[in-house]
Every structure is written in structure tokens, then in C-alpha cells.
């Protein structure tokens, strides 16, 4: 939609937020069309602005919208302030408070003395304010200083908006850089990507192009390297081999003379040299760190790290080795524990009979500083964990239970009957101060137990270990065959392969009913065997579709009609669609649109379009980042319970809590009718529906299918083609993640 301009004089400001800059004002248009103004001749303008004042003549750029409660409004994206032309306008402008030290009486004196030339005098010879009768010299100097600051601020906003930045981002940038804004942005616009939330490399690159910076600017290549490393980090890598980083940077930046398709050796000399020089510069500034580490063939390669990830990986290895090598243990009494008596009491009082392997796992947790308990569904991990807790309580030991996500922590608490919390909450994380607990203020525990440990990423495990005293014990519980963490690293697999921990892998299957196939099929998938797809069980089904459109149709019908009708599950609260990819007819984005239209159609409930997304009362939504102020966490799923058009808020019900989101915060929410398999980790659902087609080939891996199936408690429905299932089952190549944690643990380097 093309932007329109709307000019006028600000009559009054009815609302302004100091924190966000969100403003509602009434404007007297210079020229108004029918329907734009009310009976008082004023129009409503809303947007994010910086230091507007009543009486100012302004030109807004934006679009007309119709608010369901307040009627027609002009929603402004940017604003330019103009000098009032009339004496009345001059008086209102100067006396509005826009310039410190000028009230109505002082403004009248200035206008009486200079007349309509007042702005010319202020702009070109502000010292002449001293000529105005009745204004003391010291007061005149304050007015001159305030006017200079005001005009500089106005010039900054005009400059930033001229680069295509909206008012909201312009305000953020000006707050960050102050009087140096224009110089800072002109010199290195890529610094914006590091300093300003909401500006990434792509936006900074667009700004730089507008300022005329060349494609091979050293600033651009340095920013491109950091962007490439962040991109690879988002794919799970802790470091990037130099060859991979160089290729990634050249492709992302489309550097001059770089061919469209090439390998590292084919890069032109000048392009490779420019990237190498930028790497040297960033390394000298400690933005990145370089170290030689072994690859899969044990050949040394040069690894390039973002600084936080290097410190995290190195620190993790150091602390784990310190824990293992330190002879002191806070559970030293467990060395003399009467284990036979304990297991007899456990069997007698709790009716729990552990296998020899489970008993060994319990002993190991209390006698080894670092231990890991892993195994698939139904193999007795939870039963073993409960026995560990009983042994700790037998010894009157202090312990804490934690998980990476809120959903996983809730499940852990339900499974053990003991309090559990997220790792972030356990360590006292706040957005402003980070983790409050650490080396100087450690956890007061004898053992820390972390469940769903496959979800631990490199940064999180390091913060855990910083807060864990080296004489304490650490027990990690999780299924190593599931997908690795969303964040960078492959922590659980690296710890197992390094030999740093005592590892118990449970294999015997205990939990399954007669005609149930969920657990047997999960284990068949994990062992590289095709699951039973004959639809003869009570809880595992395959519906066949030959193309993506018919598969999408089937998914919607199964969720909306077939599962509720046959099993009595609620389509909204009990059934969760998981999908391997975001794009395509059976991708997460399209499925969310179709399932929203089917389960919560337009016209049934109140709705609000924010950005490109329509949020509707009754929609299922997912929180995409940890927000400790609201006490909602990445992966939490809730229902939009109300939309407040007056306060501009979405009300979302998470379990029994209601959380309010300003409309500006709605970007933290995604529709959750369908979510990725990765985002489902740590959760269980009564019923899971998984579209699986050959078009998903890039994501069809054994651990993805295995993870999806193990999310279901009572029902699994696959939709698609048997060939796609076979592709996933036969692909046991876990996507390689570049991490050197196992090597560091083994070598101490």
C-alpha cells in the first residue's frame, strides 16, 4: 500500500509514552478531505514520534486506517517538522515547551521584537536573543543552548527518516548515539546492527547502500562476517571453519567479482583477501576468536568463533574437568550408603522394583560428580530419576530440579512430585542483569538435576556450570537420540562421546499397553526400522496423500473433524500439528493459516491485524523468546482470550495465568496451530499430527521423526507418503554441528 502525506498543525497531544514514543494527537489539517476530520475540524494521528509539541507544523507519511472503536485515523510511519508561518503559529510553537526556558510570556517578547523573522534569527544568529528587552543575559544563553539542541535533534530525525527508518527506530538510534548520531551512522551504518534491537544486518546494509557505501567496504565485510557467524550459529554451529565462513560471507554479501556458484578455492584473490583482512581486524578487536581444532578426520582446521561462544565452550570444558578432578564431594556420605537396604525400602514402601541397570544409575549419580541418564520413551528414565531423588532425600542432601523450558519444568514437577523450575529462573535471570547466580554467588546444592538435557545449548550449560560449585554433583537426564538443541551446540552428545561423565543408557521397554504402537514404533524408528503403518493399532495411524495440497487438506480435516469425532479430543487444546519445515503447502506457515481459518474463522471473534499477522480471540499462539518480566518462556503455548482495542493489548491465557501484550510486543507471538518439531521439544500432547512428504527431504532425518513421535501421549497420525517415512528412517546422519567441546574435554585444550 502506497504511503500518503498528511500536513497540519498539532492542536493537542492526547497521549504520549515516554518508554515507547507511542503518540496519539489531534491535528488541524492544512487541507482536509471529507471524512478525515471530526466536527471540531481535527483529525486523529497515531504513531511513534520523538519530542513533538503542540503548535508544531508537521508533515506525516503513512496510511489512513479505520479503528473499530475510534473511527478513522492516520497511522503515521514518519514525520517531518516544519516552521510555522503565521504569527499565531509562531507563538504557539515557541511557547509549547519545545525549547527549554521559553514560556508564553517570553515567546511573546521574542515575537514582539523580531516578528516573523524570529526563526531566521534563531537559526542564523541565535545570540541576538540577548537584544530582546526583558530577557536577562544568562536566560538568553540558556535559550540559545536549548534551541541549538532542539534543531540538532530535529536534523537527526530528518536524516534518519530520510534513510527509510520509521519513527520508532529513529527514536531508538537517537537515544543510543545522541548528538553524534549523524556522524556515527554516516561513518559505519553497520554498527546499528550491533547496537540497536530491531536492526539486523539486512536493514543496516540497506541504510549503507542509501548512504553510498561500496559493496566491498571493510565495514560491510566485517559486518557480513559477524552476520554469517550468527547465521551459522542459528543453524546450531558453535564455530565455523574458515573455508565455510569465507564461502558463506561471499555469498551473503554478493561481493563484486565473486561468481554466483563457486567453491572456496574458486574465490577471486581480491575477494578472499578482503575477507581475510576483515577477519584479522575483528580478531584484533576480540569480536571473534580463532583457534585450530580437529575435524572429523582429526586434521587440524582453523575454527572461527564469536567471542561469547568461544568463552562458553572453553569455560564449559574447564569447569567440567575441574568438577571431575576435584576429589571433594558434597555427597561423600553416599559413598558409605547402605544401598541394598535402600533399594529394599524403595521396593517395600514405594512398590518400585529397579533393574540392575537402574540401580547402577542411581548409585552412579550419587557417587560420580558428573553423570548422564539417557534412553528412549518407556525405558524407565523417570522411575530411575525418582529413585535418585529418594536417595538424595535419604541422605538429607540439598538438590534442585530444573529444565531448559517452562513446559519441560512443569512436566518434571508432575512426574517427580517435587518442585521444578526453568534453568533461567533457578539462576535468577533478568533481562537487565543476566544470570544473577554464578561463580561469586553459587547455587547452594549438593546435586543439580537437569531434565530434557538434549535441549541444552552451549551458552546455557556454561551458565549452569558457572553457578554450580565444583564439589557438587550434576545429573543430566534426556534422550540423546532426539533432536539437538535449538541453540548452538550439541552438548549432551558431546558430553557422552567425551567420556567425561558416567553414562547409563536404558534400553529395556517397560511402558506400553497391549495394542499400543507409539512406543514400539518410536524405538523401531530409532533403530532404523520402518514403523508399523498398517493402521491396526489403537494409537498410531498413517493417512496417505500423493501431493502436498491433498496432504494439507487431510491435515485440516483430521484435526478439525476426524480426531474429535473418533477419539473425543478437543481440536484446539488436545491436538498439535508438528511439521518439519516452514514453507510450502504443508509447511508451518500455510498450515497455521488454514487451521486458523478452519478452527477459528473470521467473523466469529474479535481480531486485530498487527504487521502481516491477524490475531483473533481464540487463536492458539506460541511465545518465541524468554520473557522473565511476563514469566512466559520460549515455547509456551497459550490462547488469546481477549483483545483490548482501547489499551491496545492482546490478553493471552497460559494455563491458568493471563498475560498482557502491548500490540508492539505481538512480534513475540506466533500462531501455534502448527509448530516445528524443534519447538515441540520438552512438550507432550495427547495427539500429534505430522505431515511427512518427500518435499520435506532436506529435513527428513531419523531423529526428527523420532522426536515428533515421542511428543505424543495417546495418538500419532502421520499424513503423507510412506516413501517420505522411509527417507527419514534411513537417514541416520545427524546434521553435523561444528563444536569442539568433546575435544576440549578429552584434551584439556
Amino acid at each position: 500500500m502506497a504511503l500518503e502525506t498528511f500536513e497540519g498543525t498539532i492542536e493537542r497531544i492526547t497521549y504520549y509514552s515516554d518508554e515507547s514514543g507511542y503518540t496519539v494527537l489531534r491535528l488541524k489539517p492544512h487541507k482536509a478531505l471529507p471524512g478525515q476530520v471530526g466536527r471540531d475540524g481535527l483529525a486523529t494521528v497515531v504513531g511513534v514520534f520523538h519530542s513533538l509539541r503542540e503548535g508544531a507544523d508537521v508533515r506525516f507519511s503513512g496510511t489512513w486506517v479505520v479503528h473499530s472503536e475510534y473511527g478513522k485515523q492516520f497511522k503515521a510511519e514518519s514525520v517531518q517538522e516544519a516552521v510555522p508561518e503565521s504569527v499565531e503559529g509562531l507563538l504557539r510553537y515557541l511557547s509549547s515547551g519545545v525549547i527549554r526556558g521559553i514560556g508564553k510570556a517570553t515567546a511573546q517578547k521574542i515575537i514582539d521584537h523580531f516578528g516573523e523573522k524570529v526563526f531566521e534569527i534563531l537559526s542564523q544568529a541565535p545570540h541576538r536573543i540577548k537584544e530582546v528587552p526583558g530577557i536577562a543575559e544568562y536566560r538568553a544563553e540558556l535559550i540559545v543552548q536549548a534551541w541549538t539542541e532542539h534543531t540538532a535533534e530535529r536534523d537527526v530525525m530528518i536524516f534518519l527518516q530520510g534513510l527509510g527508518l520509521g519513527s520508532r527506530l529513529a527514536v531508538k538510534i537517537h537515544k543510543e548515539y545522541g548528538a553524534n548520531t549523524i556522524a556515527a551512522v554516516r561513518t559505519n551504518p553497520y554498527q546499528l546492527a550491533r547496537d540497536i534491537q530491531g536492526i539486523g544486518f539486512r536493514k543496516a546494509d540497506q541504510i549503507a547502500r542509501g548512504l553510498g557505501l561500496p559493496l566491498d567496504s571493510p565495514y560491510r565485510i566485517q559486518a557480513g562476517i559477524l552476520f554469517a557467524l550468527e547465521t551459522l550459529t542459528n543453524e546450531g554451529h558453535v564455530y565455523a571453519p574458515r573455508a565455510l565462513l569465507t564461502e558463506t560471507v561471499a555469498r551473503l554479501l554478493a561481493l563484486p567479482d565473486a561468481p554466483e556458484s563457486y567453491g572456496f578455492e574458486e574465490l577471486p584473490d581480491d575477494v578472499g583477501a578482503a575477507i581475510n583482512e576483515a577477519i584479522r581486524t575483528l580478531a584484533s578487536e576480540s569480536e571473534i576468536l580463532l583457534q585450530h581444532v580437529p575435524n572429523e578426520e582429526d586434521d587440524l582446521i582453523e575454527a572461527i568463533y564469536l567471542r561469547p561462544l568461544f568463552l562458553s565452550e572453553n569455560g564449559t570444558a574447564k569447569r567440567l574437568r575441574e568438577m571431575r578432578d576435584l576429589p571433594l564431594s558434597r555427597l561423600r556420605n553416599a559413598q558409605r550408603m547402605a544401598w541394598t537396604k535402600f533399594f529394599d525400602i524403595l521396593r517395600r514402601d514405594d512398590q518400585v522394583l529397579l533393574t540392575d541397570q537402574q540401580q547402577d544409575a542411581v548409585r552412579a549419580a550419587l557417587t560420580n560428580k558428573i553423570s548422564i541418564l539417557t534412553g528412549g520413551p518407556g525405558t524407565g528414565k523417570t522411575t530411575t530419576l525418582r529413585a535418585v531423588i529418594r536417595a538424595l532425600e535419604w541422605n538429607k542432601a540439598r538438590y534442585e530440579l530444573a529444565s531448559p523450558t517452562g513446559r519441560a519444568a512443569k512436566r518434571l514437577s508432575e512426574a517427580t512430585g517435587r518442585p521444578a523450575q526453568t534453568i533461567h529462573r533457578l539462576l535468577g535471570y533478568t533481562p537487565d542483569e543476566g544470570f544473577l547466580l554464578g561463580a561469586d554467588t553459587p547455587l547452594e546444592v549438593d546435586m543439580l538435576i537437569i531434565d530434557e538435557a538434549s535441549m541444552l545449548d552451549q551458552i546455557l550449560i556454561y551458565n549452569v556450570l558457572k553457578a554450580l560449585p565444583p564439589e557438587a554433583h550434576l545429573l543430566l537426564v534426556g534422550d540423546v537420540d532426539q533432536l539437538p538443541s535449538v541453540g548452538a551446540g550439541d552438548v549432551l552428545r558431546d558430553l557422552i562421546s567425551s567420556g567425561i561423565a558416567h553414562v547409563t543408557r536404558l534400553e529395556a521397554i517397560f511402558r506400553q499397553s497391549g495394542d499400543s504402537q507409539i512406543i514400539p514404533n518410536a524405538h523401531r524408528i530409532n533403530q532404523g526400522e520402518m514403523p508399523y503403518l498398517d493402521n491396526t493399532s489403537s494409537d498410531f495411524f498413517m493417512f496417505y496423500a500423493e501431493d502436498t495440497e491433498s496432504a494439507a487438506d487431510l491435515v485440516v480435516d483430521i484435526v478439525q473433524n476426524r480426531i474429535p469425532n473418533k477419539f473425543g479430543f478437543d481440536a484446539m487444546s488436545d491436538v498439535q500439528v508438528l511439521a518439519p519445515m516452514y514453507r510450502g503447502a504443508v509447511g508451518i506457515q500455510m498450515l497455521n493459516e488454514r487451521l486458523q481459518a478452519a478452527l477459528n474463522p473470521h467473523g466469529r471473534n474479535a481480531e486485530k491485524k498487527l504487521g502481516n499477522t491477524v490475531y483473533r480471540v481464540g487463536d492458539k499462539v506460541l511465545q518465541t523468546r524468554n520473557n522473565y518480566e511476563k514469566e512466559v518462556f520460549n515455547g509456551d503455548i497459550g490462547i488469546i482470550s481477549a483483545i483490548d482495542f482501547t489499551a491496545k493489548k492482546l490478553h493471552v491465557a497460559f494455563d491458568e495465568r493471563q498475560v498482557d501484550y502491548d500490540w508492539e510486543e505481538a512480534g513475540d507471538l506466533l500462531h501455534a496451530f502448527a509448530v516445528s518439531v524443534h519447538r515441540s521439544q520438552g512438550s507432550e500432547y495427547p495427539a500429534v499430527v505430522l505431515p511427512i512428504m518427500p518435499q520435506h527431504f532436506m529435513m527428513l532425518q531419523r531423529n526428527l521423526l523420532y522426536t515428533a513421535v515421542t511428543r505424543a501421549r495417546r495418538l500419532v497420525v502421520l499424513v503423507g507418503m510412506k516413501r517420505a517415512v522411509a527417507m527419514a528412517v534411513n537417514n541416520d546422519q545427524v546434521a553435523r554441528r561444528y563444536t569442539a567441546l568433546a575435544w576440549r574435554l578429552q584434551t584439556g585444550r
Side-chain angles (χ1 to χ4, degrees), residues 13-157:
I13 295 174
T14 57
Y15 175 80
Y16 175 73
S17 167
D18 284 327
E19 183 177 349
S20 67
Y22 183 77
T23 306
V24 180
L25 60 85
R26 299 285 283 166
L27 189 78
K28 185 175 183 179
H30 293 162
K31 181 180 179 182
L33 296 175
Q36 292 179 342
V37 299
R39 293 181 180 178
D40 56 2
L42 304 179
T44 299
V45 179
V46 298
V48 177
F49 310 121
H50 188 54
S51 65
L52 288 180
R53 293 292 185 270
E54 295 175 357
D57 281 359
V58 289
R59 177 186 293 111
F60 292 108
S61 178
T63 54
W64 286 98
V65 297
V66 178
H67 190 281
S68 60
E69 185 173 349
Y70 300 111
K72 199 161 190 178
Q73 300 177 339
F74 192 80
K75 185 177 181 181
E77 301 293 332
S78 62
V79 61
Q80 289 185 349
E81 194 170 349
V83 175
E85 297 179 356
S86 67
V87 172
E88 179 186 356
L90 292 172
L91 178 61
R92 290 187 61 192
Y93 182 82
L94 288 176
S95 60
S96 66
V98 68
I99 305 167
R100 293 191 310 275
I102 300 183
K104 190 168 184 179
T106 303
Q108 188 67 61
K109 291 177 183 177
I110 294 171
I111 290 174
D112 288 343
H113 188 77
F114 293 117
E116 294 181 358
K117 291 185 177 182
V118 63
F119 281 108
E120 179 182 336
I121 299 296
L122 284 169
S123 300
Q124 299 178 12
H127 62 276
R128 291 188 58 190
I129 291 292
K130 298 176 183 178
E131 300 174 7
V132 178
I135 298 181
E137 184 173 346
Y138 81 92
R139 188 172 181 80
E141 290 176 355
L142 292 175
I143 292 171
V144 169
Q145 181 182 351
W147 172 259
T148 303
E149 292 173 356
H150 169 70
T151 53
E153 184 178 283
R154 186 174 62 183
D155 290 344
V156 165
M157 301 305 288

Side-chain angles (χ1 to χ4, degrees), residues 214-483:
L215 289 176
D216 56 358
S217 160
Y219 290 128
R220 183 170 190 263
I221 298 175
Q222 290 170 30
I225 288 168
L226 297 177
F227 178 53
L229 284 171
E230 289 167 1
T231 300
L232 292 168
T233 295
N234 290 336
E235 295 173 5
H237 303 298
V238 177
Y239 70 82
R242 180 183 280 266
L244 174 62
L245 178 62
T246 301
E247 288 186 31
T248 305
V249 170
R251 284 195 176 91
L252 286 172
L253 300 186
L255 292 170
D257 301 323
E260 292 184 4
S261 178
Y262 50 79
F264 174 61
E265 287 76 12
E266 298 170 338
L267 278 176
D269 291 341
D270 55 344
V271 172
I275 294 174
N276 287 336
E277 179 58 32
I279 289 174
R280 280 193 291 272
T281 299
L282 290 171
S284 69
E285 297 171 353
S286 296
E287 291 277 353
I288 60 176
L289 289 103
L290 284 59
Q291 186 176 23
H292 283 88
V293 303
N295 61 13
E296 289 180 314
E297 290 75 35
D298 281 335
D299 297 324
L300 287 180
I301 61 170
E302 189 172 30
I304 301 176
Y305 289 82
L306 288 169
R307 180 180 177 82
L309 284 166
F310 176 85
L311 297 176
S312 171
E313 186 179 82
N314 195 50
T316 296
K318 180 180 179 182
R319 287 180 177 276
L320 284 171
R321 289 171 62 87
E322 181 185 3
M323 282 183 66
R324 183 197 62 186
D325 297 339
L326 185 70
L328 295 176
S329 167
R330 290 190 173 183
L331 293 175
R332 55 187 176 276
N333 291 337
Q335 308 289 341
R336 300 186 297 274
M337 184 171 170
W339 287 105
T340 301
K341 180 179 180 182
F342 169 74
F343 290 126
D344 286 342
I345 292 174
L346 198 65
R347 181 174 61 251
R348 184 191 68 208
D349 294 352
D350 295 1
Q351 288 77 52
V352 173
L353 178 61
L354 300 180
T355 65
D356 290 345
Q357 189 184 33
Q358 288 174 310
Q359 291 183 21
D360 287 343
V362 176
R363 289 192 196 93
L366 273 71
T367 56
N368 290 270
K369 301 284 281 301
I370 309 163
S371 56
I372 294 173
L373 178 64
T374 187
T379 57
K381 292 193 302 296
T382 301
T383 299
T384 308
L385 175 55
R386 290 196 198 105
V388 170
I389 293 171
R390 293 281 277 116
L392 290 168
E393 292 170 348
W394 173 285
N395 282 279
K396 296 181 172 54
R398 299 166 299 175
Y399 67 90
E400 291 283 357
L401 302 176
S403 292
T405 69
R407 293 167 299 161
K410 182 179 178 182
R411 286 183 53 211
L412 177 59
S413 181
E414 292 170 349
T416 60
R418 305 293 190 275
Q421 56 192 311
T422 65
I423 294 171
H424 284 78
R425 186 173 299 285
L426 174 67
L427 302 184
Y429 180 88
T430 64
D432 295 331
E433 300 183 52
F435 292 96
L436 298 182
L437 296 188
D440 295 331
T441 51
L443 284 164
E444 291 297 325
V445 296
D446 302 321
M447 178 183 283
L448 174 61
I449 299 172
I450 297 179
D451 194 25
E452 296 290 353
S454 63
M455 301 172 69
L456 284 170
D457 62 44
Q458 184 56 73
I459 297 291
L460 188 55
I461 188 64
Y462 181 45
N463 281 287
V464 167
L465 293 170
K466 283 195 293 185
L468 189 63
E471 65 273 16
H473 286 228
L474 175 66
L475 171 61
L476 301 179
V477 183
D479 188 345
V480 72
D481 295 317
Q482 288 188 20
L483 289 170

Side-chain angles (χ1 to χ4, degrees), residues 377-589:
T379 57
K381 292 193 302 296
T382 301
T383 299
T384 308
L385 175 55
R386 290 196 198 105
V388 170
I389 293 171
R390 293 281 277 116
L392 290 168
E393 292 170 348
W394 173 285
N395 282 279
K396 296 181 172 54
R398 299 166 299 175
Y399 67 90
E400 291 283 357
L401 302 176
S403 292
T405 69
R407 293 167 299 161
K410 182 179 178 182
R411 286 183 53 211
L412 177 59
S413 181
E414 292 170 349
T416 60
R418 305 293 190 275
Q421 56 192 311
T422 65
I423 294 171
H424 284 78
R425 186 173 299 285
L426 174 67
L427 302 184
Y429 180 88
T430 64
D432 295 331
E433 300 183 52
F435 292 96
L436 298 182
L437 296 188
D440 295 331
T441 51
L443 284 164
E444 291 297 325
V445 296
D446 302 321
M447 178 183 283
L448 174 61
I449 299 172
I450 297 179
D451 194 25
E452 296 290 353
S454 63
M455 301 172 69
L456 284 170
D457 62 44
Q458 184 56 73
I459 297 291
L460 188 55
I461 188 64
Y462 181 45
N463 281 287
V464 167
L465 293 170
K466 283 195 293 185
L468 189 63
E471 65 273 16
H473 286 228
L474 175 66
L475 171 61
L476 301 179
V477 183
D479 188 345
V480 72
D481 295 317
Q482 288 188 20
L483 289 170
S485 59
V486 175
D490 202 354
V491 172
L492 186 60
R493 191 172 282 105
D494 282 347
L495 264 58
I496 290 174
S497 64
S498 73
I500 192 76
H502 182 285
V503 179
T504 302
R505 181 164 191 144
L506 302 175
E507 294 177 345
I509 301 175
F510 299 98
R511 177 166 53 88
Q512 66 182 78
S513 58
D515 63 346
S516 171
Q517 285 185 351
I518 293 179
I519 291 176
N521 273 345
H523 285 272
R524 288 180 66 83
I525 291 167
N526 199 32
Q527 293 160 9
E529 301 174 15
M530 282 290 287
Y532 297 114
L533 302 176
D534 52 11
N535 291 349
T536 59
S537 76
S538 62
D539 60 4
F540 201 106
F541 300 91
M542 176 93 189
F543 286 81
Y544 296 94
E546 293 300 319
D547 58 77
T548 56
E549 291 294 340
S550 58
D553 291 341
L554 257 177
V555 168
V556 174
D557 185 36
I558 287 167
V559 173
Q560 184 180 20
N561 301 309
R562 300 194 191 193
I563 289 179
N565 292 340
K566 181 174 177 62
F567 296 96
F569 290 138
D570 182 87
M572 190 75 76
S573 60
D574 296 332
V575 184
Q576 184 60 59
V577 176
L578 306 179
M581 296 179 68
Y582 278 87
R583 300 186 182 279
V586 282
I588 294 166
Q589 293 170 345

